[in-house]
């Protein structure tokens, strides 16, 4: 019994020390002598950013600290982050001068592996107090001369820490490029002994902790004058389109209404049927049930959800600086997608029942599986390639199970709930005009008024409004820049939606005025075609702006570019169709028909 107080005191002391260690990692506060963990992440070719591998897949050694893996969020796992304690002993406010932390004997295969990595310009990244740090593993002398090329491995890491009181403000890594801090990788040697060393220097700074991430941002690139000019030019384009739409609504439609009213007031024998033309002639077909109603409804439901999701994520990231924390944006996007699934179910079921759809069970299944199915197909293909390459980007089976569970137990039930609400409590069909049983023949018209031509022309202006921002986004995602100007992104997003709405109205008017009632899919594809132009730009960007090579990086690039464009197409298609629906209902509600 006397030993119990000592056991209890020991347990409390251990718990206290454990909590202090945890606080250092998450509160970012340190005391003198506290351990500062250096988490090694991934390594891979400089120009193939997504072709990454676990750092210790190369024959590096680590210090005396036991090997620890660090996973916190689902987003980190999906991004292929594999944080491993490097074992480099760094203590807060304790300088170190050229001290070894591990040794290794490199065999011939190890030397060849390092030579390949150095020749391919392998770049590694690490995290220290949640700050990203990176560097090359070596360098090549006489790289242009294959016979005399010499491969050198950096064996020394020099860390320069900047601190303010008890917080780390910045970390700079300097790889010494001169002997004895490098070792020559001679493939003729059977073995080579390597000693890895490090140095630590602590420097006081007056910079605040809240601004420490700012120094990692490339303001000269993202806040360049070209970026501002693109916003201004896009805004001018919106004003032009709004003027064009206003002209159509206020002048052209007013003239159309006046002409139709005069014709309606004439007796039947006074009418000149040869002059009877225009959008009024398709009043008995304009509200006809569109082809592939179930697919259209599912696309509209997924588009509505993705539109709301994109807006919420951009606003939250803009206001909360979510880009500062690792993989926070992706983790938040997954959660918000699951929560907003009711939007897709409600929108899809409402449009489906509005045009008399009866097989609502299949409609719910298609809506719930459409976007996740696209993700599974494209992501599954890329994941197979990643597994074949033993890349850190390969998604582990438990993560797949977790994603499936999120969809099965949260996303799909909310989709079903939204569908039930949309089907039972949605707006009932109240078409302004009756639909005839026999469709009206579509007259011949010029080629530029054909649906295909209108769709191709309709996507040009929205793409012109965003292609500068697309360049910045591509440069950030496919290189090593951190995208942080989400205020710009939000403005471009709003401008894009406005431009698509205006374009959809204009194209729909031209189509109906040529007495073609097939406006449903045309209005959807008119705006969705913008995504096709973005994908064409992605091909141009790959060929002209990058130095990517290899099957893995190429598959990753074109696979996820296609995924982004499909999502963009669904969003813009929903915007175009919704705008056209309001336009069509408005003009046919105000015209007198027999």
């Amino acid at each position: 019994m006397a030993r119990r107080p000592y056991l209890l005191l020991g347990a409390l002391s251990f718990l206290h020390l454990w909590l202090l260690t945890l606080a250092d990692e998450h509160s970012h506060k340190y005391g003198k002598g506290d351990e500062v963990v250096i988490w090694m992440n991934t390594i891979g070719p400089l120009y193939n950013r997504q072709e990454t591998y676990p750092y210790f897949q190369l024959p590096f050694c680590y210090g005396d600290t036991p090997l620890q893996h660090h996973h916190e969020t689902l987003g980190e796992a999906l991004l292929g982050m594999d944080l491993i304690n490097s074992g480099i002993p760094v203590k807060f406010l304790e300088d170190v001068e050229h001290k070894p932390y591990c040794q290794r004997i490199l065999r011939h295969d190890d030397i060849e592996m390092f030579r390949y990595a150095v020749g391919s310009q392998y770049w590694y990244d690490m995290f220290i107090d949640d700050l990203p740090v990176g560097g090359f593993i070596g360098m090549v002398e006489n790289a242009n001369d294959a016979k005399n090329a010499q491969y050198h491995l950096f064996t020394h890491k020099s860390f320069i820490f900047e601190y303010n009181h008890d917080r780390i403000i910045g970390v700079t890594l300097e790889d010494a490029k001169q002997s004895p801090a490098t070792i020559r990788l001679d493939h003729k040697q059977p073995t080579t002994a390597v000693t890895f060393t490090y140095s630590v220097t602590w420097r006081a700074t007056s910079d605040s902790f809240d601004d420490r991430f700012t120094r990692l941002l490339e303001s000269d690139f993202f806040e360049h004058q070209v970026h501002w000019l693109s916003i201004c030019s896009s805004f001018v384009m919106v004003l032009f389109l709004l003027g064009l739409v206003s002209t159509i609504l206020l002048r052209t439609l007013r003239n159309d209404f006046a002409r139709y009213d005069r014709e309606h007031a004439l007796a039947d024998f006074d009418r000149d049927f040869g002059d009877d033309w225009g959008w009024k002639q398709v009043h008995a077909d304009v509200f006809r049930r569109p082809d592939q109603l179930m697919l259209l409804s599912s696309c509209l439901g997924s588009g509505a959800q993705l539109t709301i999701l994109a807006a919420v994520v951009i606003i939250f990231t803009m206001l909360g600086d979510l880009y500062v924390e690792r993989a926070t944006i992706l983790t938040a996007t997954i959660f918000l997608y699951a929560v907003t699934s009711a939007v897709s179910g409600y929108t899809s079921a409402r449009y489906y029942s509005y045009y008399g759809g009866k097989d609502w069970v299949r409609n719910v299944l298609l809506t719930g599986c459409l976007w996740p199915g696209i993700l599974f197909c494209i992501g599954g293909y890329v994941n197979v390639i990643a597994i074949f390459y033993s890349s850190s980007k390969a998604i582990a089976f438990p993560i797949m199970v977790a994603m499936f569970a999120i969809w099965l137990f949260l996303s799909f039930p909310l989709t079903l709930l939204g569908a039930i609400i949309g089907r039972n409590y949605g707006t009932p069909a109240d078409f302004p005009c009756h639909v005839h049983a026999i469709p009206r023949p579509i007259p011949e018209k010029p080629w530029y008024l054909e649906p295909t031509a209108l769709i191709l022309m309709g996507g040009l202006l929205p793409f012109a409004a965003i292609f500068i921002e697309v360049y910045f986004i591509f440069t950030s995602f496919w290189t090593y820049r951190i995208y942080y100007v989400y205020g710009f992104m939000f403005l471009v997003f709003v401008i894009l939606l406005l431009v698509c709405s205006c374009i959809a109205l204009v194209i729909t008017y031209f189509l109906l005025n040529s007495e073609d009632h097939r406006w449903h899919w045309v209005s959807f594809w008119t705006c969705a075609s913008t995504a096709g132009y973005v994908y064409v730009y992605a091909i141009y960007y790959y060929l002209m702006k990058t130095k990517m090579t290899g099957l893995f990086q190429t598959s990753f690039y074109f696979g996820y570019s296609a995924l982004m464009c499909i999502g963009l197409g669904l969003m813009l298609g929903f915007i175009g169709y919704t705008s056209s629906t309001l336009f069509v209902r408005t003009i046919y509600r105000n015209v007198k028909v027999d």
Side-chain angles (χ1 to χ4, degrees), residues 328-341:
T328 303
I329 296 177
L330 180 57
T331 304
T333 301
I334 294 172
F335 172 75
L336 290 173
Y337 174 82
V339 171
T340 56
S341 295

Side-chain angles (χ1 to χ4, degrees), residues 63-238:
D64 297 332
T65 304
L67 196 63
Q68 302 175 20
H69 292 261
H70 180 70
H71 286 297
E72 283 191 342
T73 65
L74 184 62
E76 290 183 359
L78 291 174
L79 289 178
M81 292 185 174
D82 187 17
L83 304 185
I84 302 176
N85 192 338
S86 65
I88 301 176
V90 176
K91 303 294 183 181
F92 189 70
L93 299 184
E94 293 185 3
D95 291 347
V96 176
E97 183 63 30
H98 213 282
K99 181 178 180 180
Y101 66 91
C102 71
Q103 296 179 339
R104 177 153 188 167
I105 303 296
L106 298 181
R107 298 170 299 177
H108 183 267
D109 293 342
D110 298 334
I111 296 174
E112 290 295 331
M113 190 179 298
F114 271 127
R115 284 173 61 89
Y116 174 80
V118 171
S120 300
Q121 295 183 282
Y122 268 45
W123 168 281
Y124 64 89
D125 61 355
M126 61 179 74
F127 286 91
I128 304 175
D129 195 46
D130 285 345
L131 291 173
V133 185
F136 291 99
I137 69 168
M139 65 178 182
V140 182
E141 290 185 359
N142 303 320
N144 297 326
D145 188 354
K147 294 183 178 180
N148 299 320
Q150 296 183 1
Y151 297 80
H152 296 270
L153 178 68
F154 297 149
T155 60
H156 181 75
K157 292 180 174 62
S158 179
F159 298 96
I160 300 176
F161 287 85
E162 296 180 68
Y163 70 95
N164 189 343
H165 297 294
D166 58 350
R167 292 176 179 266
I168 296 175
I169 304 302
V171 183
T172 304
L173 174 64
E174 295 181 355
D175 288 311
K177 299 182 180 181
Q178 298 177 355
S179 180
T182 65
I183 185 171
R184 181 183 175 187
L185 299 169
D186 189 354
H187 64 283
K188 297 180 180 179
Q189 296 290 335
T191 59
T192 299
V194 181
T195 299
F196 292 92
T197 59
Y198 75 106
S199 299
V200 178
T201 303
W202 292 90
R203 297 175 181 173
T205 180
S206 59
D207 294 345
S208 65
F209 179 81
D210 294 335
D211 298 330
R212 69 173 188 162
F213 209 83
T214 305
R215 60 177 62 193
L216 302 176
L217 308 178
E218 300 184 38
S219 58
D220 292 339
F221 175 75
F222 286 104
E223 298 181 31
H224 194 273
Q225 187 177 5
V226 174
H227 211 161
W228 288 101
L229 290 176
S230 69
I231 299 293
C232 295
S233 63
S234 299
F235 182 72
V236 171
M237 183 182 300
V238 170

Side-chain angles (χ1 to χ4, degrees), residues 272-315:
D272 186 356
F273 290 97
D275 294 334
D276 199 9
W277 57 274
W279 50 267
K280 180 184 176 182
Q281 308 310 311
V282 294
H283 69 272
D285 298 278
V286 73
F287 294 105
R288 186 176 302 280
R289 174 173 171 161
D291 297 332
Q292 301 295 329
L293 173 62
M294 185 179 295
L295 178 59
L296 178 61
S297 300
S298 299
C299 291
L300 294 174
S302 298
Q305 181 185 3
L306 293 177
T307 302
I308 294 176
L309 175 66
V312 172
V313 169
I314 293 173
I315 292 173

Side-chain angles (χ1 to χ4, degrees), residues 502-520:
C502 296
I503 288 295
L505 296 185
V506 174
I507 296 298
T508 300
Y509 175 80
F510 287 157
L511 185 72
L512 295 178
N513 211 41
S514 65
E515 301 181 19
D516 190 340
H517 58 81
R518 300 170 298 178
W519 64 273
H520 299 86

